[in-house]
């Protein structure tokens, strides 16, 4: 069983690399096996509360998922619960087993900045990550999303991330960076194989996050020709303005912009998300869906999976996925106690899973858009003498009442196109109670499937803000594989996603 990447790390060195930037080097036993090899990786740091020498953090347990650990963290009384802030991994020394994190020593210093201002060897903080949950790969080199050139724009908090990207550029890769800092004393040099131009923007006496200097610098620049991928981070309002400029005035495709509000003017990282933050999260989700669409290779023979295709398949009783028994992967979930509370069987088809769970005493409801499927499900339940509940209903519109603790999705998610997937995930979010689990069993693109197979990237991209992807693993989907009705197992993904 793997353990969550929760570590206790100790300061080994502190250097003021510029007047307003402290580079803190961390080491310690927990970093002995530490690896990371991609740019733009971030972590959550946990800072001790007054009177503590080390942050109080729950120890991760074998097999524990992030949400359970986070619940235990939140259960710590507030006066003892460590402050949590996001930072970028700026460097990693494999020989010494140390990592570097660069802290901007900003005005109006919050707990992280105050800690960094007085950090000294021996001081301890907690660290979560880097984790696939936070990973945001920048498309470079041979990546299918790579463009002719890369635009980087951000303030000093984004400088460490931009540094890691610039330093990992492939040979000759063109990049133009706009970096807003206080003054020339804050400028840094980067070693790179890329073909990089850095524009330093000096804020002077204007407080961070309160000027249009970065936006104007990008607006007024003569940018290279060719396709662009843009990476934008810093104060959330500035990031929004930059993104709007790139989309509305420069015509950059939204899918080619990675944007992230790293901090919010007059708000701490403990403050609740604003409406604008939620809108950004929604945008990012839609954007991830579009990316998944752009990167997903559709089989040449892909059938348009309209609703009538399914209704016809159920009516003619020719659906190769109707096997008259539950999927072994779903039976296994039940055996391992992953099904609880009020259960929705979304896209229940002819009802095998709903019937199984109703027979075992679960509070379960099966829904399907196809009335032919529901008619067959009801008659199957009657045949098995099980009082199971079935309804014709639309999984894309489950209503606003959060009433489910578990959702089973056996071969529904994979039939949706990118736009419907956004709608489906939103619909699930409304219908699930906080902490609810959604289990997705989807045909994998590594096998022949029946047409609607997907890659794991599609699942990862679909469940963004508001969800934690706790597990995504290879599994199998049982279906009719031979002309004489022989059953066989096809490669599938099994994902467990928690609604937060
Ligand atoms: C993915 C990610 C990666 C990040 N990487 C880095 C990094 O490598 N280095 C780094 O220094 N920061 C980084 N940040 C930004 C950092 O997390 C925030 O600046 C954080 O708010 C600092 O915490 P604090 O406790 O000092 O301030 P908070 O308690 O969060 O805020 C206190 C006050 O300070 C203001 N404030 C916060 N940050 C700034 C700032 N930069 N300038 C001016 N005022 C500010 C707030 O508006 C608030 O009024 C990153 C953020 C994210 C999301």
């Amino acid at each position: 069983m793997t353990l969550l990447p929760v570590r206790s790390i100790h300061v080994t060195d502190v250097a003021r690399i510029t007047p307003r930037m402290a580079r803190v080097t961390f080491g310690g036993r927990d970093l002995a096996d530490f690896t990371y090899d991609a740019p733009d990786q971030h972590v959550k740091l946990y800072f001790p509360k007054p009177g503590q020498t080390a942050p109080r953090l729950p120890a991760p347990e074998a097999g524990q998922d992030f949400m359970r650990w986070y619940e235990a963290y939140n259960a710590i009384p507030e006066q003892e619960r460590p402050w949590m802030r996001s930072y970028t991994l700026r460097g990693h020394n494999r020989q010494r087993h140390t990592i570097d994190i660069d802290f901007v020593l900003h005005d109006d210093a919050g707990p992280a900045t105050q800690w960094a201002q007085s950090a000294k060897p021996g001081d301890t903080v907690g660290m979560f990550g880097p984790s696939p949950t936070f990973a945001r790969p920048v498309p470079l080199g041979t990546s299918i999303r790579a463009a002719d050139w890369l635009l980087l724009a951000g303030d000093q908090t984004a400088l460490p991330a931009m540094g890691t990207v610039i330093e990992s550029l492939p040979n000759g890769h063109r990049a133009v960076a706009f970096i807003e800092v206080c003054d020339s004393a804050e400028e840094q040099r980067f070693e790179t194989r890329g073909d990089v131009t850095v524009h330093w923007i000096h804020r002077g006496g204007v407080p961070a996050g309160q000027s249009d200097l970065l936006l104007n610098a990008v607006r007024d620049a003569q940018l290279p020709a060719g396709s662009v991928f843009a990476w934008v981070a810093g104060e959330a309002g500035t990031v929004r303005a930059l993104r709007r400029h790139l989309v509305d005035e420069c015509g950059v495709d939204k899918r080619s912009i990675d944007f992230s509000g790293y901090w919010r003017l007059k708000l701490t990282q403990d403050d609740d998300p604003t409406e604008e933050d939620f809108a950004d999260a929604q945008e990012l989700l839609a954007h991830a869906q579009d990316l998944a669409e752009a990167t997903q290779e559709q089989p040449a023979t892909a059938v348009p999976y309209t609703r009538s295709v399914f209704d016809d398949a159920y009516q003619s009783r020719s659906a190769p996925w109707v096997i008259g028994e539950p999927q072994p992967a779903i039976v296994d979930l039940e055996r391992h106690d992953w099904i609880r509370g009020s259960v929705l069987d979304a896209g229940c088809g002819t009802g095998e899973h709903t019937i199984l769970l109703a027979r075992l005493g679960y509070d379960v409801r099966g829904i399907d858009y196809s009335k032919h499927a529901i008619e067959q499900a009801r008659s199957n339940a009657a045949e098995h003498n099980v009082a199971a509940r079935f309804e014709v209903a639309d999984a894309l519109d489950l209503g606003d009442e959060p009433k489910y603790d578990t959702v089973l999705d056996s071969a529904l998610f994979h039939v949706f196109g990118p736009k419907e997937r956004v709608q489906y995930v939103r619909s699930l979010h409304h219908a699930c109670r906080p902490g609810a689990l959604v289990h997705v069993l989807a045909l994998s693109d590594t096998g022949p499937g029946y047409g609607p197979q997907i890659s794991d990237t599609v699942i990862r991209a679909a469940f963004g803000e508001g969800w934690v992807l706790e597990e995504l693993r290879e599994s199998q989907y049982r279906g009719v594989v031979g002309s004489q009705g022989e059953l066989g197992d096809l490669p599938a993904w099994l994902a467990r996603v928690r609604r937060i």
Side-chain angles (χ1 to χ4, degrees):
M1 286 266 190
T2 51
L3 282 180
L4 286 172
V6 181
R7 296 180 167 88
S8 179
I9 56 176
H10 312 288
V11 176
T12 59
D13 196 19
V14 183
R16 234 359 127 80
I17 54 171
T18 63
R20 287 167 174 264
M21 184 78 101
R23 174 160 299 166
V24 183
T25 302
F26 296 92
R29 255 201 335 227
D30 286 4
L31 288 174
D33 61 346
F34 183 79
T35 50
Y36 93 95
D37 49 16
D40 188 21
Q41 294 289 311
H42 62 270
V43 293
K44 305 267 182 222
L45 293 182
Y46 299 88
F47 301 93
K49 282 275 166 82
Q52 298 175 332
T53 49
R56 179 178 157 191
L57 284 177
E61 293 163 16
Q64 189 181 35
D65 55 58
F66 176 70
M67 242 358 250
R68 295 241 165 88
W69 182 84
Y70 190 66
E71 276 165 18
Y73 162 80
N74 267 327
I76 299 172
E78 203 189 334
Q79 66 276 18
E80 291 177 40
R81 191 187 323 134
W83 284 289
M84 180 175 82
R85 298 289 184 267
S86 300
Y87 280 86
T88 303
L89 287 172
R90 181 62 181 94
H92 177 213
N93 186 320
R94 285 166 206 273
Q95 281 74 43
R96 295 198 182 139
H97 305 293
T98 58
I99 55 169
D100 292 332
I101 294 187
D102 288 356
F103 292 79
V104 176
L105 304 176
H106 62 84
D107 298 337
D108 195 12
T113 305
Q114 288 175 29
W115 178 90
Q117 274 162 344
S118 58
K120 56 183 183 324
D123 287 355
T124 302
V125 300
M127 177 171 96
F128 181 93
S131 142
T133 318
F134 312 144
R136 302 180 308 146
V138 180
L140 298 172
T142 56
S143 157
I144 190 166
R145 291 162 62 211
D148 294 334
W149 66 282
L150 177 67
L151 170 69
L152 300 163
D155 64 20
Q156 200 168 358
T157 58
L159 202 166
M162 288 192 271
T164 62
V165 173
I166 290 172
E167 287 165 4
S168 64
L169 287 173
N171 227 355
H173 195 104
R174 185 86 180 98
V176 182
F178 294 85
I179 310 179
E180 184 197 296
V181 291
C182 182
D183 52 37
S184 60
E186 298 302 325
E187 295 180 9
Q188 295 184 19
R189 293 182 63 79
F190 309 107
E191 297 290 325
T192 180
R193 288 176 295 145
D195 172 11
V196 183
T197 309
V198 180
H199 299 278
W200 293 99
I201 294 117
H202 298 152
R203 209 168 44 238
V206 184
Q210 297 189 38
S211 83
D212 291 334
L213 290 166
L214 184 61
L215 173 65
N216 291 340
V218 175
R219 181 177 278 150
D220 297 343
Q222 279 285 343
L223 297 173
S227 61
V228 59
F229 185 90
W231 184 102
V232 185
E235 196 282 321
T238 307
V239 168
R240 264 178 223 121
L242 268 165
R243 183 168 165 274
R244 263 197 301 271
H245 165 70
L246 291 171
V247 174
D248 297 345
E249 293 170 46
C250 305
V252 178
D253 186 337
K254 283 182 183 174
R255 293 178 299 188
S256 298
I257 307 175
D258 189 350
F259 64 102
S260 181
Y262 271 14
W263 61 282
R264 300 171 298 165
L265 199 59
K266 303 205 168 24
L267 290 174
T268 76
Q269 276 194 11
D270 300 319
D271 291 315
D272 288 337
T274 61
E275 279 306 311
E276 283 177 314
D277 296 331
F278 277 124
D280 284 352
Q282 234 17 82
E283 272 284 347
L284 278 168
L285 181 59
H287 159 81
Q289 298 290 330
D290 282 347
L291 275 182
E293 178 189 24
T295 52
Q296 190 185 353
E297 284 175 29
Q298 293 288 346
T301 55
V303 182
Y305 278 90
T306 58
R307 292 171 182 229
S308 61
V309 168
F310 290 100
D311 220 23
D312 294 347
Y314 285 118
Q315 189 175 21
S316 62
R317 296 179 185 255
S318 63
W321 57 88
V322 175
I323 56 171
E325 60 188 66
Q327 288 293 327
I330 303 290
V331 173
D332 210 46
L333 285 175
E334 195 284 322
R335 285 205 184 120
H336 287 89
D337 286 338
W338 282 115
I339 297 175
R340 61 191 164 89
S342 165
V343 184
L344 175 71
D345 181 7
C348 64
T350 47
E352 290 76 12
H353 301 127
T354 305
I355 294 170
L356 166 78
L357 296 178
R359 188 164 50 74
L360 294 173
Y362 286 85
D363 168 19
V364 57
R365 173 175 169 240
I367 63 153
D368 205 289
Y369 181 80
S370 162
K371 70 177 190 331
H372 296 294
I374 292 297
E375 277 163 13
Q376 287 170 38
R378 286 184 179 139
S379 101
N380 287 343
E383 228 170 80
H384 288 84
N385 211 12
V386 175
R389 287 181 299 153
F390 292 105
E391 272 170 50
V392 175
D394 188 351
L396 300 185
D397 185 12
L398 293 166
D400 283 335
E401 193 193 336
K403 49 185 172 191
Y404 298 110
D405 302 296
T406 308
V407 175
L408 286 182
D409 173 326
S410 173
L412 174 64
F413 177 91
H414 68 205
V415 306
F416 293 133
K419 299 251 153 40
E420 285 170 314
R421 243 178 260 136
V422 174
Q423 222 179 319
Y424 177 51
V425 171
R426 197 178 294 146
S427 164
L428 285 175
H429 202 266
H430 286 309
C432 282
R433 294 187 176 125
L437 290 176
V438 176
H439 300 284
V440 177
L441 180 65
L443 280 163
S444 158
D445 58 351
T446 60
Y450 305 117
Q453 312 100 286
I454 54 169
S455 74
D456 57 332
T457 318
V458 173
I459 303 178
R460 281 180 210 286
F463 292 94
E465 191 76 14
W467 300 93
V468 174
L469 178 60
E470 292 187 346
E471 189 176 65
L472 176 55
R473 61 182 164 89
E474 289 176 1
S475 181
Q476 297 199 306
Y477 184 86
R478 187 157 294 171
V480 178
V481 291
S483 55
Q484 307 302 313
E486 301 92 330
L487 297 187
D489 289 335
L490 299 170
W493 304 111
L494 182 62
R496 186 175 77 243
V497 197
R498 190 181 291 270
R499 191 250 200 238
I500 50 175

